[in-house]
Amino acid sequence: MSRTFVGMPPFPTAARAALADTQLRANLAHATTTIRAKRAAVVAEVDDWEALRLRAAAIKDDVLLHLDEHLVRLEESLTARGAVVHWARTAEEASEVVAQVARAHGVDEVVKVKSMATQEVELNEHLAAQGISAWETDLAELIVQLGDDLPSHILVPAIHRNRAEIRAIFEREMARVGRPAPADLTDDPVRLAEAARLHLREKFLRAKVGVSGANFAVADSGTLVVVESEGNGRMCLTLPEVLVSVVGIEKAVPTWTDLDVFLTLLPRSSTGERMNPYTSTWSGVTPGDGPQEVHVVLLDNGRTRALADEVGRQALRCIRCSACLNVCPVYERTGGHAYGSVYPGPIGAILNPLLKGVGHDEQTDSLPYASSLCGACFEACPVRIDIPSVLVDLRAQVVDAHRSGVPKPEALAMRAAAAAFGSGGRLAAAEQASGLAGRALDALSSLTRRGRRAGGRRLVGRLPGPGAAWTDARDLPVPPRESFRAWWKRTDGGTR
């Protein structure tokens, strides 16, 4: 995959283009509706679902408050079991560790488990620049890679593609990078999966280096955990001689008992299943069994920045289930590409600004506004991330980050309002001026026929000049001729 999210336009621009794609909207509506229905059915079977959500949130919050201790414990446990632990502050450092391991073993290709962390650091592009091919082995990731596309969903990266499009991609691209698609390939899902399996099998069998992420990292035993649905992860984790795992530092959990909570929540929230089809765990090196050289890269890349945000740090609870995407009305209509990141949807709208910081990039600053604040994401989140509250806080941060230079009209209006509401005398004067303005606007509306009435209210038509954009989609009531204070004084508190 050669395409990246670098240079993507701000969300409003990208969303406008996505909304014009009727096929995309149809694909998304079908997929998210199906996943929502499956999730609702299996969640309803659990009597203590809300208690599990509360427990998971408490475990994650405790880990984040003592993250330094858990990470040191994780490093000690991994090292004791023969793994080599690397610490990466940035995306570049993490990608270079993987590249160094690949070069040390003289390979020009690696096989990969689906991993959000490696997509985040743009590992594939970093390796390609050094002549090393990174083959995606997850079916959806394979579709994205062969189609020179970008992922649009956390769980199902190719959710924006239908079966006919996938068949065309396989027929056109598979032969270029390995075993070709069968000559009689159809768009039947079974046949498409078979074509992917045959194409990938030769890559699994010849690969010397595998690359993975991890869904969880159990600190007290040094165990990394990958959950998946296809078995490709198991092949990548067991067949190569060398394994490199890139793991976000927030993935730590203290014990296996804590892990049990998340293995109950994750499959129900993500794929609508009672348990995950494949759960692979590994702890360092086991002589004669699996990879005999294991490297673990503990990745920061902005996570400590997010940890320092008292409101936003709860985003680090995320277990990448994608439940928030599947219930989001904005995501369902625009898809994931509009978010300009490997983390799309509601969680991406808060995670990207938290990891990167605000005030530096127009695209990142647009993400906290990519929401209706309906709250469906919070209700669906298995670890109770209050995404709407974080979005509102990030919007304030974006505004604060742009307060330099000449104030914008909106800022001036807010300052004027603050000054008026901060003094009883000024507020009374503003109300009196409002009454005079109301009489003038009412007269102007009558003369020009630009005003109208609705629901008993007098309404101003579209304002000229700077107010035109605001009244384009809003009704502006004509200010009352008499303020409440004036009425109260005239009628002696309403008694006459």
Side-chain angles (χ1 to χ4, degrees), residues 3-66:
R3 293 185 61 197
T4 71
F5 285 105
V6 176
M8 290 287 284
F11 181 84
T13 303
R16 192 172 293 111
L19 287 169
D21 189 337
T22 56
Q23 183 63 62
L24 173 67
R25 294 206 310 274
N27 294 349
L28 289 169
H30 173 72
T32 55
T33 300
T34 301
I35 296 173
R36 284 199 304 269
K38 290 178 61 179
R39 176 190 176 276
V42 294
V43 166
E45 298 173 351
V46 183
D47 293 333
D48 58 347
W49 181 256
E50 190 59 26
L52 281 172
R53 293 179 72 208
L54 289 166
R55 186 176 174 191
I59 292 170
K60 279 287 190 176
D61 284 345
D62 185 70
V63 168
L64 295 174
L65 288 173
H66 305 92

Side-chain angles (χ1 to χ4, degrees), residues 291-311:
Q292 296 302 290
E293 183 179 329
V294 173
H295 297 261
V296 178
V297 183
L298 296 177
L299 175 68
D300 183 343
N301 200 36
R303 285 159 175 79
T304 52
R305 181 204 302 273
L307 188 63
D309 189 309
E310 293 185 1
V311 177

